[in-house]
Amino acid sequence: MCIRDRSYFRIVDQPENGFFQRIEQFPNGDILVGDAHGTPPIPGIPNGFFLMRLNECGEVLWQKDFRDRTNMIMLSQIAIDEAENIYIFGFYFDTGPGKPIPDILKLSGDGQILTHRRFEGAPGRDFVYSLDYHNGQLYTYGALASLNNPEFCNLMILDTNLNIIQSKKYGPYEAYGEGIALQNGGALMVNGMTVLQVDPNGQLNWARTITGFTNYVSTSIPHEVAGGTIHAVSFGGLTWFFKIDSNGNLLWQSDQFPAHYHLPEMETLPNGDILAIYNDDDTTGFHPVWLRLSSSGEILSQNRLQTTYPINSGFIGVTLYEGERVNLFGNADVDLFAGLLRKDFMLQFNLNAPPPDCFSFEPFSDTQPNTFNLGLQAATITEANAPMVESPLPAVYDSIATSSFNEICPFEPSIEEIRQDTLMECDGEWLIELPGPSFIWSDGYQGQTRIETKAGEWTAIQYECHTKVRHIFHLEKPDCDCLENISNVLTPNGDGINDALIFQSNCNFDFVEIMVFDRWGRSMFTATQLPAAWDGTLGGNPVPEGVYYMAIRGVAASDGGEIKEISEVKNLTLMR
């Protein structure tokens, strides 16, 4: 079990030259990070992508490389469903004709390949942009780029077995954009400078062109909130947010702020505010910033990463768990470090906890009033069905990856020890129970409770990100006689009292011999194992009343491990 304010900052040593960072979150708070290998496709040399699953403490649960045996497969987006199935949307690049083909891969939560499909929708080139999951359906968004016909953007909706439910195309295609699934089952897509909203059947509800710009600009991945979607746009070195309602009307624009051209990624905080992650751009380089935006478009705070390690960050992905734990996965800026090796970085912090020693987010403000005349204008869009043809599937294989971390924040968990001592009677027993559901027994015992009758120590361990708790149960017993309460009277008359002579022990005997004989030395009973009992018979027949003798000898170890040699002779009176 982990605690959520475990912070870390680390550099990932593989893949080298990664440049397509993606991060998604499992329902239990684990994260999945992915990156494409940055080597250009070379005929005959396989290429692919890298995935790593980490728990809330940042511990790696598994990591794998996925590659095609002959050509290149490229990671574009990741989605995860409620059952922890993983969906990878990208493209297969056939280096022969140089054609990218949409590629969808379904994995189990532990990274095993379950299903794999490839679809072609145009005789030219198909481009893939985004993937989203909602309510048992996958939404893929891309472009159909035919060689001799107009180009279209494409929305495919699939079930979780990767069967196509519907495929639609919308034209004309303008430029790159992102698409998201909406809570009502429809979708919202950005097609260059045009925003399209469709219903759950793919029918167009409305289309709006973003106006006011003299040339094409990029917008962020839309982020759905109550009453519409929030978008970010960058122009002239400044970035700002705007909101479009569910009917395609512009509601507000935020103030502007300087930012690097990688547009913000957004998550919703519990109170309805928006957490946005972007890179600022100052004289010392590019630095991750988290910004708080109100639901009405007011920028409430900006917080810049402060660390001695130079990142010069480029694209950054973000997840938010239970409104407080933030995970960032990004890379050095591709343009700034062109031609050099670039390493991914991972950052985890808690919005409501003190920062660690090695990094912090310091408040600052560089916003300015927004005077830009952004507008929305109705756009004419054509729509039609877009049949997709399944493409043959060369084998994709996976292999264990061996990426390691350079920890910028050295961390060693503290150890807390709790001790519970008990002194027990000779014939007693101790019921021990794990202190909580996150504890395990250090000796591998699987039960929640255990009953112990001998002296010793048993340890339950709970491992958290910050603390390792050791709960030690220590049991002591007095140095009891090895043979327990052997009566010197035997009355086998059926009244339930002393009807048999019982031999039992508190010790572990390596050897034991028990004999009962009469006054003339004739053997009445013999035993070499414990427990044992004599009922006053010989060969099934009752022996006479009188005085008998019992002799006991053996070698035993007490509860404390002490070796004892035992040799005793006692009188026994038998009465009926």
Side-chain angles (χ1 to χ4, degrees), residues 328-400:
L328 305 182
F329 181 52
N331 205 333
D333 180 69
V334 174
D335 296 331
L336 186 64
F337 292 94
L340 302 176
L341 294 181
R342 301 178 302 274
K343 301 292 188 182
D344 292 337
F345 69 87
M346 301 175 65
L347 198 72
Q348 177 169 293
F349 62 96
N350 191 301
L351 293 172
N352 301 318
D357 294 334
C358 64
F359 72 87
S360 63
F361 281 86
E362 299 299 327
F364 75 103
S365 178
D366 63 358
T367 61
Q368 60 189 59
N370 190 346
T371 60
F372 192 85
N373 188 27
L374 183 146
L376 296 177
Q377 179 179 311
T380 301
I381 296 292
T382 64
E383 56 181 306
N385 291 328
M388 304 295 284
V389 177
E390 189 163 357
S391 176
L393 281 172
V396 169
Y397 67 95
D398 61 304
S399 59
I400 303 299

Side-chain angles (χ1 to χ4, degrees), residues 481-554:
D481 291 337
C482 278
L483 295 173
E484 297 180 1
N485 302 322
I486 302 175
S487 175
N488 61 355
V489 176
L490 178 62
T491 57
N493 55 15
D495 65 356
I497 301 174
N498 292 331
D499 283 336
L501 190 64
I502 306 298
F503 300 92
Q504 55 189 10
S505 174
N506 293 308
C507 304
N508 297 315
F509 274 90
D510 292 330
F511 161 77
V512 65
E513 183 180 52
I514 299 171
M515 295 180 293
V516 178
F517 49 91
D518 63 14
R519 66 178 64 186
W520 295 282
R522 292 178 299 186
S523 176
M524 303 287 107
F525 171 77
T526 302
T528 56
Q529 289 183 339
L530 295 177
W534 182 51
D535 59 0
T537 63
L538 177 63
N541 298 312
V543 300
E545 293 182 341
V547 176
Y548 293 81
Y549 303 92
M550 48 184 167
I552 305 168
R553 63 189 184 97

Side-chain angles (χ1 to χ4, degrees), residues 187-253:
L188 186 131
M189 298 163 282
V190 177
N191 173 25
M193 298 300 296
T194 301
V195 181
L196 301 81
Q197 190 200 84
V198 300
D199 67 16
N201 296 315
Q203 300 298 314
L204 185 68
N205 287 333
W206 51 260
R208 301 288 187 269
T209 297
I210 304 171
T211 63
F213 300 97
T214 56
N215 56 293
Y216 169 77
V217 297
S218 294
T219 60
S220 68
I221 301 173
H223 182 69
E224 187 176 13
V225 295
T229 52
I230 295 178
H231 308 247
V233 64
S234 182
F235 181 71
L238 296 173
T239 297
W240 67 97
F241 302 94
F242 62 94
K243 182 176 181 179
I244 302 175
D245 71 14
S246 56
N247 295 314
N249 302 307
L250 180 65
L251 294 183
W252 51 253
Q253 296 184 74

Side-chain angles (χ1 to χ4, degrees), residues 1 80 92 175-176 273 288 331 364 401 434 446 466 549 561:
M1 178 181 178
I80 298 174
Y92 165 75
Y176 175 84
D273 289 348
N331 205 333
F364 75 103
L434 286 173
Q446 296 299 309
H466 282 267
Y549 303 92

Side-chain angles (χ1 to χ4, degrees), residues 451-472:
I451 297 175
E452 301 298 339
T453 59
K454 300 183 183 303
E457 280 192 351
W458 297 267
T459 302
I461 297 176
Q462 178 195 55
Y463 177 67
E464 295 185 339
C465 299
H466 282 267
T467 306
K468 181 177 182 179
V469 181
R470 299 176 69 240
H471 195 117
I472 300 172

Side-chain angles (χ1 to χ4, degrees), residues 393-414:
L393 281 172
V396 169
Y397 67 95
D398 61 304
S399 59
I400 303 299
T402 57
S403 182
S404 60
F405 302 124
N406 174 19
E407 297 285 356
I408 307 304
C409 297
F411 173 76
E412 289 293 336
S414 61

Side-chain angles (χ1 to χ4, degrees), residues 106-241:
K106 178 180 179 180
L107 312 174
S108 63
D110 58 0
Q112 304 300 314
I113 297 175
L114 301 178
T115 312
H116 185 201
R117 296 280 178 87
R118 286 181 182 151
F119 300 102
E120 293 185 71
R125 296 184 300 167
D126 299 338
F127 295 95
V128 297
Y129 296 148
S130 60
L131 169 70
D132 204 358
Y133 171 82
H134 174 65
N135 198 27
Q137 295 187 152
L138 297 164
Y139 296 69
T140 72
Y141 179 61
L144 306 178
S146 178
L147 295 177
N148 302 311
N149 297 303
E151 297 179 357
F152 299 89
C153 52
N154 170 242
L155 172 68
M156 276 198 304
I157 301 179
L158 306 95
D159 64 23
T160 54
N161 293 317
L162 308 188
N163 301 306
I164 295 177
I165 299 172
Q166 60 176 294
S167 176
K168 295 273 190 174
K169 61 182 180 181
Y170 308 89
Y173 170 77
E174 292 182 11
Y176 175 84
E178 300 273 359
I180 61 170
L182 298 175
Q183 291 299 309
N184 66 2
L188 186 131
M189 298 163 282
V190 177
N191 173 25
M193 298 300 296
T194 301
V195 181
L196 301 81
Q197 190 200 84
V198 300
D199 67 16
N201 296 315
Q203 300 298 314
L204 185 68
N205 287 333
W206 51 260
R208 301 288 187 269
T209 297
I210 304 171
T211 63
F213 300 97
T214 56
N215 56 293
Y216 169 77
V217 297
S218 294
T219 60
S220 68
I221 301 173
H223 182 69
E224 187 176 13
V225 295
T229 52
I230 295 178
H231 308 247
V233 64
S234 182
F235 181 71
L238 296 173
T239 297
W240 67 97
F241 302 94

